[in-house]
Each structure stands twice: as C-alpha cells, then as structure tokens.
Amino acid sequence: MTTDVLLTGFAPFAGAAVNESWESVRDAAPLLRADGLTVVTLELPVEFGRAGDLLAAAVRTHRPSLVVAVGLAAGRTGITPERVAVNVRDARIPDNAGASPVDEPVAADGPVGYFSTLPVKAMVAALAADGIPAAVSQTAGTYVCNDVFYALQHLLATDEALAGIRGGFVHVPAADVVGSPTAARALVAMVEVALRTVVDAPLAGGAEH
Ligand code: PCA
C-alpha cells in the first residue's frame, strides 16, 4: 500500500503536560483518512538527533508522497509553515534527554540550510481563505524542531532512493491561540493543498515570524 502523507508531532517538553503539535496531528489523521488519503502518524521525542533518526526510519519504511513534521512554537500568533531549515543546534533549554548542544551542526557534512519543499505560500493562502491565522516563518529556531526539519530535508535531498518525496515543517501556536480542532483542520487544508501544488504560488510577502 502506498502512503500519501507521513505526519509527525512532538512529545511534551519544558514541563508541559501535552504538546499541541501531536494533538493536532492525532486529530488531523482521521479527517484526512475520511478524505480518502493514506496517513501515517508518528510522535517524535524532543531529543536532538534521535528525533530525526526516527523520522528518517519512518520515511524509509513508508515512502510517503509528502512528509509534514509539526512542532509547537508557543509564542506565535498563527500557524507558521517554515521556509528554511538551518544546519545548527543551539539549545536554550536541555532537550528531554538532557542534551544542550551549542553551536553544533545538525549534519557535519551538510550545507548551511535547506528550503522546505512544501508550497509554503499556497499553504498560508489556503489557511487565510479559511479564516485561520497563518504566515510563512523564516526561521524554525535552533532547537529540536529545526533539528528534525534539517535532518528531514538533508535526507530527502541526499538519498536517491527517496527522490520525489517532498517535505517540510510547520509550527503551530499554543492552544489558547489556535485550539486543537482548528489546528487539525489547518493541517488537513495544508496537506491537501501541498498534495496538489508542486510549484508554489508566487505570492508576495515574507511575513514576520
Ligand atoms: N517545539 C520545539 C521542539 C518540540 C516542539 O514541539 C521547537 O520548536 O524546537
């Protein structure tokens, strides 16, 4: 069976009881399946290196058309598809395994960055049309979300066996800004627009993050 989309969220971190990214992924999956798509979901640990390794293993196993990794960005005011992953780890707080890398590369042999291969502008436009606050983000930070995003893009760019698989990262805000049902609906809209949009919409305006 072929897989249309691999969706990942994160476990709770920084003392929180839940992580909205996993809740929205969990709730989006049945909605996407109801639309006829084949969906695999995975909850990733908030751990440098290991999270990206687990995602890579899932990509190799399922060979989805699309990979959308989702994380929580608590300070944000909308859903933010990320434009670019950067080859650096710089932790402000320890990850869930106690690691606090500072100024280390994600991949020692990798380029400085990778662009998302998701149509981030078209995704934002689809959410705006649905009245959901959204903007393109120009940085996924330097913590575990960026680590996973960079590892994903590096994998997809360098492993010829995975050629043609598109992927990227989306940050969701805290539940008091966008509740889980709305975040799940937003993920559905973004996956559906990404599946049918290979060339991104040329919309102006890199919004502030
Ligand atoms: N957010 C963190 C890591 C896990 C998550 O959900 C981040 O933005 O890096």
Side-chain angles (χ1 to χ4, degrees):
M1 190 161 81
T2 59
T3 300
D4 294 310
V5 56
L6 170 61
L7 279 179
T8 71
F10 278 101
F13 69 111
V18 297
N19 187 318
E20 285 88 332
S21 67
W22 173 246
E23 305 221 312
S24 58
V25 163
R26 186 198 58 203
D27 294 350
L31 302 174
L32 288 164
R33 290 186 187 117
D35 287 344
L37 297 177
T38 311
V39 183
V40 172
T41 61
L42 179 65
E43 186 187 26
L44 296 173
V46 182
E47 294 178 34
F48 284 100
R50 197 162 84 86
D53 290 347
L54 290 168
L55 177 54
V59 172
R60 290 202 168 94
T61 300
H62 298 288
R63 309 263 180 138
S65 301
L66 211 64
V67 185
V68 182
V70 185
L72 168 68
R76 293 200 182 162
T77 54
I79 309 266
T80 46
E82 298 291 345
R83 190 197 291 259
V84 58
V86 62
N87 192 8
V88 69
R89 295 172 170 169
D90 198 347
R92 190 174 43 81
I93 56 171
D95 72 9
N96 283 0
S100 303
V102 173
D103 296 349
E104 292 178 11
V106 178
D109 59 343
V112 66
Y114 285 103
F115 287 118
S116 175
T117 46
L118 302 179
V120 293
K121 297 281 184 75
M123 288 156 65
V124 166
L127 298 187
D130 203 5
I132 299 172
V136 173
S137 166
Q138 318 302 340
T139 174
T142 56
Y143 194 52
V144 180
C145 287
N146 174 74
D147 194 56
V148 160
F149 183 21
Y150 187 94
L152 172 64
Q153 301 310 111
H154 190 52
L155 174 76
L156 297 181
T158 56
D159 189 333
E160 283 172 19
L162 306 174
I165 299 178
R166 292 181 295 134
F169 197 95
V170 174
H171 267 117
V172 295
D176 58 341
V177 178
V178 174
S180 273
T182 303
R185 193 158 56 84
L187 287 184
V188 171
M190 288 187 285
V191 165
E192 290 182 343
V193 78
L195 282 171
R196 62 174 188 264
T197 309
V198 174
V199 178
D200 198 4
L203 302 170
E208 297 301 314
H209 59 269

